[in-house]
């Protein structure tokens, strides 16, 4: 099969498209013929070697955690999926940006999603749901999402709105119309946030989710009044010190199925900022590293 690989840690120049042996699923896994794969911050952080102490990989490595495609091989013990089914999901820290990918968590892709949308759903949805789950019931509560226009943030907005929350999202002004389209009340981040929220939410903010680790975690705790009502998916350094929930992405098929069900009902549609052909993987990673702020980046395989 054709796949993207890097043979050493480094910049985008290490990424090459080449022929590699086909992977095969182990027990509890499936293989898909990939239609599209997502690009996530973890991909370039792993490739660069920035997180090698925490997430070491065997080199050469194929970047990518999530993808969508048609099932073409099924491992031992797998039930509820058949050859030919269109699914989206997650594999390991690497392996998705290829013609064939092995998944360890998956769900049937909604017919309402394009391949590009489904490719952007896996990691974003389980990460968003993990953060939201830590905050408890959402219906009738006012939720502040810090960094609401990004891949995880935009997923969290739609999922929280679908679950009955009133959502206020922070983003740069150029993304306010985008947040409004998702169902959030937009505001800018940074200095004066408390004053802006006093106007937008006179009865106060009940819970907060941080998706960007911008240094605002202590401010979020002060805004809601209790660290137990704040979660972060990004600020690993400050979460333990402040006592807030730290949610990590998990390869959880149940969460993926929940996201797919919301998609089928039209309540959650992954927002795609840019798509690239697999041959332009270096450009996609370079764009991701610059900090895209509106939805997901996807590679078409």
């Amino acid at each position: 099969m054709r796949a993207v690989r890097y043979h050493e840690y480094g910049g985008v120049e290490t990424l090459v498209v080449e022929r590699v042996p086909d992977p095969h699923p182990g027990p509890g896994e499936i293989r898909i013929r990939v239609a599209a794969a997502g690009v996530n911050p973890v991909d370039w952080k792993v490739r660069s070697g920035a997180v090698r102490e925490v997430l070491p990989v065997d080199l050469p490595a194929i970047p990518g955690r999530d993808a969508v495609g048609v099932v073409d091989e099924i491992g031992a013990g797998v039930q509820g999926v058949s050859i030919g089914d269109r699914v989206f999901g997650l594999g390991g820290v690497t392996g998705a940006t290829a013609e064939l990918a092995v998944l360890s968590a998956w769900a049937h892709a909604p017919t309402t999603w394009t391949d590009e949308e489904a490719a952007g759903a896996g990691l974003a949805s389980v990460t968003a749901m993990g953060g939201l789950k830590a905050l408890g019931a959402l219906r009738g509560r006012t939720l502040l999402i810090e960094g609401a226009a990004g891949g995880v943030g935009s997923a969290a907005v739609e999922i929280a709105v679908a679950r009955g929350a009133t959502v206020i999202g922070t983003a740069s002004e150029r993304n306010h119309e985008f947040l409004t389209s998702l169902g959030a009340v937009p505001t800018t981040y940074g200095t004066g946030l408390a004053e802006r929220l006093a106007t937008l939410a006179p009865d106060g903010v009940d819970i907060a989710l941080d998706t960007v680790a911008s240094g605002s975690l202590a401010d979020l705790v002060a805004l809601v009044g209790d660290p137990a009502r704040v979660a972060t998916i990004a600020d690993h350094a400050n979460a333990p010190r402040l006592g807030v929930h730290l949610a990590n992405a998990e390869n959880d098929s149940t969460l993926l199925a929940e996201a797919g069900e919301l998609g089928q009902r039209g309540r959650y549609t992954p927002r795609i900022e840019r798509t690239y052909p697999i041959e332009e993987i270096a450009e996609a990673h370079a764009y991701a590293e610059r900090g895209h702020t509106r939805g997901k980046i996807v590679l078409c395989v």
Side-chain angles (χ1 to χ4, degrees):
M1 69 169 183
R2 292 172 73 240
V4 174
R5 289 205 298 187
Y6 51 96
H7 292 251
E8 59 185 359
Y9 291 121
V12 298
E13 70 280 354
T14 64
L15 296 163
V16 294
V17 179
E18 57 191 7
R19 297 209 69 84
V20 304
D22 294 353
H24 296 282
E29 298 176 333
I30 63 172
R31 189 179 76 178
I32 61 171
R33 189 161 294 279
V34 177
V39 175
N40 298 286
V42 68
D43 300 339
W44 61 261
K45 290 176 182 178
V46 169
R47 185 214 71 229
S48 70
V51 294
R52 75 178 78 183
E53 301 299 325
V54 183
L55 294 173
V57 297
D58 294 327
L59 298 174
I62 298 171
R65 277 205 64 181
D66 50 3
V68 61
V70 173
V71 179
D72 78 339
E73 195 171 313
I74 297 175
V78 172
Q79 297 181 333
V81 69
S82 303
I83 301 294
D85 287 357
R86 178 174 174 259
V87 302
F88 72 105
L90 299 159
V93 174
T94 59
T97 313
E99 290 179 330
L100 299 169
V102 171
L103 304 182
S104 57
W106 62 87
H108 288 89
T111 56
T112 52
W113 288 353
T114 65
D115 284 339
E116 290 79 8
E117 289 165 345
L123 193 58
S125 65
V126 298
T127 304
M129 286 181 167
L132 294 172
K133 186 178 180 181
L135 297 173
L138 298 177
R139 186 163 300 280
R141 303 174 86 187
T142 298
L143 164 69
L144 173 67
I145 298 179
E146 183 85 315
V152 175
S154 59
V157 169
E158 284 200 279
I159 292 167
V161 169
R163 292 178 174 175
T166 297
V167 178
I168 299 173
T170 67
S172 59
E173 285 191 20
R174 70 184 182 88
N175 287 324
H176 283 192
E177 186 177 340
F178 173 62
L179 291 188
T180 300
S181 75
L182 299 177
V185 177
T187 190
T188 51
Y189 43 78
T191 305
L193 179 60
E195 291 75 17
R196 293 190 294 278
L197 290 174
T199 301
L200 295 172
D203 296 328
V205 173
D206 301 306
I207 47 181
L209 173 65
D210 164 51
T211 73
V212 289
S214 62
S216 65
L217 210 53
D219 294 333
L220 298 182
V221 172
L223 284 168
V224 303
D226 183 353
R229 290 194 276 132
V230 178
T232 180
I233 57 96
D235 198 341
H236 295 256
N238 292 306
R241 176 177 63 82
L242 294 170
V244 310
H245 300 284
L246 178 60
N248 291 308
E250 298 180 9
N251 284 23
D252 188 328
S253 293
T254 301
L255 294 181
L256 292 170
E258 288 180 30
E261 182 185 4
L262 288 173
Q264 195 63 47
R265 289 165 43 204
R267 302 303 305 273
Y268 165 49
T269 302
R271 306 300 166 137
I272 308 304
E273 182 180 13
R274 289 195 177 193
T275 61
Y276 295 85
I278 192 173
E279 292 79 11
E280 294 179 13
I281 178 75
E283 289 86 346
H285 270 224
Y287 186 76
E289 286 189 56
R290 289 196 292 272
H292 73 289
T293 57
R294 184 180 293 187
K296 294 298 299 283
I297 297 171
V298 170
L299 291 159
C300 298
V301 178

